Amino acid sequence: MEFVVAHELPGRIRLRTPKGTFSKKNAPAVEALLESQRGVKKVKASYLTGSILICFEVSCREGVLSAAALMTRDYYDDEELEGLRGEAPQESLKAGLAAMAARTLFRLLLPLPLRKVINICRASSFVKRGARSLLVSRRVNVSVLDASAILSAVVRGDFVSAGIIMTLVSLGDLLESWTQRKSKEDLAQSLALRVDTVWVRRGGCDVEMAFSELHVGDLVVVRAGTVIPVDGRVAEGEAVVNQSSMTGEPLGIVRKEGASVYAGTVVEEGMIVVETTALGSSTRISRIISVVEESESRKASIQGRAERLADSIVPFNFILAGVIYLTTRSAVRASSALMVDYSCAIKLATPLAILASMREGIKRGVLIKGGKYIEALADADTAVFDKTGTLTVAEPRVAKVIALNGYGGEDVLKLSACLEEHFPHSIAKAVVRRAEEDDLHHAEEHAEVEYAVAHGIVSSLRGERVIIGSSHFVFEDEGVKVSEADKKVIDEECAHYSLLYLAVGTELAGIICIDDPLRGEAREVVSGLRAEGVPHLVMLTGDCRRAAENTAAQLGIGEVRSEMLPVDKSEYVRRLTERRRAVIMVGDGVNDSPALSAASVGVSMRSGADIAQEVANVVLLENDLRALVDARRISVRTMRKIHMNYRFIVGTNTLLLALGLGGFISPALSALLHNLSTVGASIYSLAPVLGKDIRGNRRQSIDR
């Protein structure tokens, strides 16, 4: 089998195979074959991304990789191999339940002596599983508890109770494996790119081929109404592409030769030929799917506590059973302590609630990258916003150009555009766009430009140093002098606009006033976060104090920090966390990445810089800030649901335990009610915490 090593730790390796290497149907066979290798403890294969996660003994690494390399489709396409995994999750819940019901009915029709023999044979598999946990893994867990309960019933000759317990345990295993797999698959499928075949141009002809056979460099033909299946560059043609799946913008944009396009976006009009630069797991959309696979490594601390608590409770069942037997000499009452355990429901309900909430977040336009961030969002008491591109729209515009010290307005704009066109920053684009609108053509007369990140641009023109950038950069770092008259102009405009300064030599040549309008939903988000229990709201910006305070006043944000550099932002967030504040940091630029990393939860827009999205723990998929309020609501209600489940599980099972020990219900009935309560807790965990999806309503309000 062809694969690459995507990630590796001692005793744990993730292999990435080309998409389509194995299907959903034969993924269990892949797992079974690899688990049969010496030293392999656990295998998890995801057909959606071609990922295979293998846990193994460190000394067996080479053997594991050799076994994977030697596997061929002939091995894992064989349906009979799917039976190798006795505990493989059922592909269909209905099929699993039907098969279980048929086997139960068949056994009831057999003579009693034969049923006893079959029950003893069935019991042996449960006892072996418990013994393996106890002797090999050295863990006293639910498997040991189940084995003890079944063995106790068989020894007492109560084969009816033993059969019922084994059926209920099998049913519980079936429901657990199905719900966990179904939750993860639903979450991944809500993001996955579904393409089976593509049209490829070869030798001047268009041929249809399987998507799994596509390679980097292939020319993919994409026509109107078709999803672009790869990340790439337009090699030929022109089309209107809807990139809402990637940027959240509802309007299509024109993509011509040389422009970049991304997998998962749709051609609305025209036809393009795309040269493939990335496919499969390398595409942007596949990186999001990988978050689903890696979410288990980002468990909420409450989930970790639940698992530790669940395992720690099991020994007390045995202690209680021993005490009951010594005091009552009743094996039936003592076995009741083995029929009810808290751990199964606790271990299952919490991760299911986390998965269900991650899926609900996707439907609401927000990707939460793991359970620990759901918990952190719920605990947050502070929200820190970057201003430009976050609280304001991502497309600022030039409101006016002010020429100073003998320079003309056209000269200031022309020279500024000439410098700024080299850098794809939103403000730079605004300057270049205004020059184009004013029909100003600028010749490349300056020397090579130098870009100082988050500061400005330096070049030279006809022997003089030319500088454009922020006040901090121009006046403090570069030492440009500013007269009292110029200061008055700056103070007046600073209250209304973000300012960009142009200096030639040591003299200020002009000021470009940038209008950066607020997002339509910004006020609603600020009030929404307060209503959801986030009292401390802060705005950070590199703008001057008066402009920053003006923006903050419009939004109702009480604390504002102005004229901040990227390092200042991250330092401010770090100080908040050191004061035990739980901080949500919202930003979308490269310069915001340090602050996003320093926060308890970093939040980025889908349209933000790639590094910001990678660093962020939460991504707003539709570039709508209201999804942040939804993320907070989902997180708070999920934690509430988990705590309610705790109370239900502990209360119900304690009652069943008391009834069993008092002799009011039989061990078999106790086991039945216990499993039903576990199913009930799981169903409650999977229920959505918010109402129906409102993204359509949001989009309509934005369009209006």
Side-chain angles (χ1 to χ4, degrees):
M1 176 166 52
E2 183 183 348
F3 64 83
V4 294
V5 176
H7 184 261
E8 183 173 5
L9 292 171
R12 186 179 187 274
I13 193 167
R14 186 184 297 279
L15 309 180
R16 188 79 66 182
T17 66
K19 190 169 182 179
T21 299
F22 55 90
S23 67
K24 177 180 179 180
K25 187 176 182 181
N26 51 43
V30 174
E31 296 171 346
L33 282 164
L34 289 174
E35 282 193 348
S36 67
Q37 303 301 311
R38 185 177 66 84
V40 175
K41 300 175 182 176
K42 180 183 177 183
V43 179
K44 192 160 189 65
S46 170
Y47 77 96
L48 283 169
T49 58
S51 163
I52 305 175
L53 177 64
I54 309 173
C55 298
F56 56 91
E57 295 174 6
V58 177
S59 60
C60 299
R61 179 184 183 278
E62 295 305 320
V64 170
L65 293 179
S66 297
L70 291 172
M71 286 177 63
T72 68
R73 189 173 292 276
D74 292 336
Y75 294 156
Y76 53 79
D77 254 358
D78 189 346
E79 294 182 19
E80 292 181 5
L81 288 175
E82 295 183 20
L84 286 174
R85 276 183 68 113
E87 299 174 61
Q90 299 292 327
E91 295 299 328
S92 167
L93 180 62
K94 289 183 180 179
L97 292 173
M100 184 176 291
R103 287 194 297 268
T104 302
L105 181 62
F106 174 73
R107 284 193 293 269
L108 289 175
L109 297 175
L110 295 175
L112 182 60
L114 188 55
R115 287 209 304 271
K116 290 182 179 179
V117 173
I118 290 175
N119 276 339
I120 291 172
C121 293
R122 287 179 67 202
S124 65
S125 64
F126 289 93
V127 172
K128 284 179 184 176
R129 187 165 67 176
R132 191 161 53 245
S133 293
L134 186 61
L135 301 176
V136 179
S137 303
R138 300 186 181 280
R139 295 175 61 193
V140 181
N141 56 17
V142 179
S143 296
V144 178
L145 196 62
D146 291 337
S148 302
I150 293 165
L151 187 61
S152 169
V154 170
V155 169
R156 289 185 286 104
D158 188 355
F159 291 100
V160 173
S161 293
I164 291 173
I165 294 167
M166 286 185 285
T167 299
L168 290 172
V169 170
S170 299
L171 178 62
D173 289 344
L174 173 64
L175 290 172
E176 178 179 352
S177 62
W178 181 81
T179 49
Q180 286 185 327
R181 171 169 285 191
K182 185 72 166 59
S183 296
K184 287 186 179 179
E185 284 184 0
D186 285 349
L187 180 55
Q189 285 173 352
S190 66
L191 296 164
L193 178 66
R194 299 176 183 84
V195 177
D196 296 321
T197 60
V198 292
W199 287 91
V200 177
R201 182 158 293 177
R202 286 184 176 169
C205 299
D206 295 349
V207 295
E208 189 176 18
M209 61 183 291
F211 177 76
S212 59
E213 297 174 8
L214 203 61
H215 298 285
V216 172
D218 282 343
L219 298 176
V220 180
V221 181
V222 190
R223 297 179 173 83
T226 306
V227 174
I228 298 175
V230 296
D231 286 3
R233 180 186 62 81
V234 178
E236 182 183 328
E238 181 177 333
V240 176
V241 178
N242 187 320
Q243 298 191 131
S244 60
S245 64
M246 195 63 63
T247 67
E249 296 300 325
L251 300 178
I253 60 172
V254 176
R255 300 276 83 181
K256 301 179 181 179
E257 186 174 338
S260 297
V261 290
Y262 301 104
T265 58
V266 179
V267 172
E268 291 184 336
E269 299 177 29
M271 187 273 286
I272 52 176
V273 178
V274 179
E275 180 184 354
T276 304
T277 59
L279 61 135
S281 60
S282 300
T283 61
R284 283 189 175 188
I285 202 163
S286 290
R287 290 179 208 159
I288 298 176
I289 298 173
S290 68
V291 170
V292 176
E293 295 180 335
E294 296 166 4
S295 62
E296 285 192 355
S297 65
R298 303 186 178 103
K299 292 179 181 178
S301 61
I302 192 170
Q303 185 175 340
R305 291 197 303 271
E307 292 175 356
R308 290 191 296 272
L309 174 65
D311 284 336
S312 66
I313 288 174
V314 172
F316 289 98
N317 287 80
F318 288 101
I319 294 171
L320 183 60
V323 170
I324 295 300
Y325 182 75
L326 291 174
T327 54
T328 65
R329 296 297 175 179
S330 170
V332 174
R333 289 192 180 186
S335 64
S336 294
L338 305 177
M339 300 299 149
V340 176
D341 70 273
Y342 300 86
S343 56
C344 182
I346 290 174
K347 270 190 170 182
L348 182 59
T350 302
L352 284 181
I354 296 293
L355 283 170
S357 295
M358 288 176 66
R359 184 186 179 198
E360 189 169 2
I362 293 293
K363 290 183 176 181
R364 291 265 174 168
V366 56
L367 173 67
I368 305 173
K369 296 183 179 180
K372 67 184 293 185
Y373 306 122
I374 288 178
E375 188 171 15
L377 276 168
D379 291 339
D381 57 12
T382 303
V384 178
F385 292 91
D386 172 60
K387 179 196 166 202
T388 305
T390 303
L391 290 172
T392 61
V393 297
E395 292 188 6
R397 63 182 182 85
V398 175
K400 57 176 154 177
V401 178
I402 301 173
L404 301 169
N405 302 313
Y407 288 87
E410 288 191 357
D411 293 331
V412 170
L413 182 57
K414 191 186 298 185
L415 181 53
S416 299
C418 194
L419 295 171
E420 292 283 12
E421 69 179 353
H422 296 277
F423 300 97
H425 187 274
S426 58
I427 292 179
K429 290 178 181 176
V431 173
V432 174
R433 187 164 57 246
R434 176 61 183 267
E436 291 173 348
E437 291 170 356
D438 291 356
D439 200 25
L440 297 179
H441 302 286
H442 43 86
E444 291 283 350
E445 298 178 3
H446 58 77
E448 185 175 347
V449 296
E450 176 187 338
Y451 180 54
V453 176
H455 289 70
I457 298 170
V458 178
S459 186
S460 62
L461 178 66
R462 293 186 287 275
E464 285 195 283
R465 188 174 174 83
V466 182
I467 305 159
I468 186 169
S470 66
S471 61
H472 177 87
F473 180 56
V474 173
F475 301 129
E476 296 180 29
D477 292 354
E478 295 296 325
V480 172
K481 304 300 181 185
V482 56
S483 67
E484 289 300 321
D486 291 345
K487 279 183 180 178
K488 280 188 177 181
V489 174
I490 291 170
D491 288 342
E492 183 178 341
E493 300 299 338
C494 194
H496 308 288
Y497 304 108
S498 299
L499 302 183
L500 194 63
Y501 301 89
L502 175 71
V504 179
T506 59
E507 190 175 49
L508 186 63
I511 303 169
I512 297 178
C513 301
I514 305 293
D515 185 16
D516 200 11
L518 290 173
R519 288 181 178 271
E521 74 274 14
R523 294 182 186 86
E524 180 185 339
V525 170
V526 169
S527 60
L529 285 175
R530 281 205 180 96
E532 286 297 320
V534 184
H536 189 206
L537 301 176
V538 186
M539 186 184 80
L540 307 181
T541 179
D543 287 351
C544 67
R545 180 181 57 80
R546 289 182 65 190
E549 289 177 348
N550 182 42
T551 301
Q554 293 180 58
L555 293 171
I557 293 178
E559 183 176 347
V560 57
R561 300 296 174 105
S562 58
E563 299 179 12
M564 297 192 81
L565 298 175
V567 66
D568 298 328
K569 294 179 183 179
S570 62
E571 180 63 22
Y572 175 77
V573 172
R574 188 184 62 78
R575 287 199 303 270
L576 284 177
T577 56
E578 285 178 352
R579 295 206 301 264
R580 300 189 178 249
R581 292 267 192 181
V583 181
I584 301 171
M585 171 66 200
V586 190
D588 71 334
V590 174
N591 300 331
D592 298 322
S593 300
L596 293 174
S597 296
S600 310
V601 184
V603 181
S604 176
M605 302 286 208
R606 169 65 78 84
S607 61
D610 285 348
I611 188 171
Q613 293 185 56
E614 291 291 334
V615 168
N617 315 122
V618 175
V619 178
L620 307 183
L621 299 175
E622 294 191 342
N623 295 328
D624 188 334
L625 278 177
R626 282 172 290 193
L628 176 61
V629 181
D630 282 343
R632 166 72 176 190
R633 293 169 64 210
I634 287 171
S635 300
V636 170
R637 286 155 180 75
T638 298
M639 298 308 296
R640 191 180 300 157
K641 177 198 285 186
I642 289 171
H643 288 118
M644 286 182 68
N645 250 340
Y646 276 170
R647 290 191 287 271
F648 170 75
I649 291 165
V650 172
T652 301
N653 287 288
T654 300
L655 177 62
L656 291 176
L657 200 56
L659 292 173
L661 296 178
F664 297 105
I665 58 175
S666 67
L669 181 57
S670 179
L672 174 62
L673 295 175
H674 160 69
N675 280 276
L676 287 176
S677 70
T678 300
V679 171
S682 300
I683 292 172
Y684 176 61
S685 294
L686 291 170
V689 294
L690 300 182
K692 66 179 182 178
D693 187 9
I694 59 172
R695 287 188 297 173
N697 295 335
R698 284 183 186 158
R699 179 58 50 78
Q700 290 169 13
S701 66
I702 292 170
D703 291 343
R704 286 199 295 272

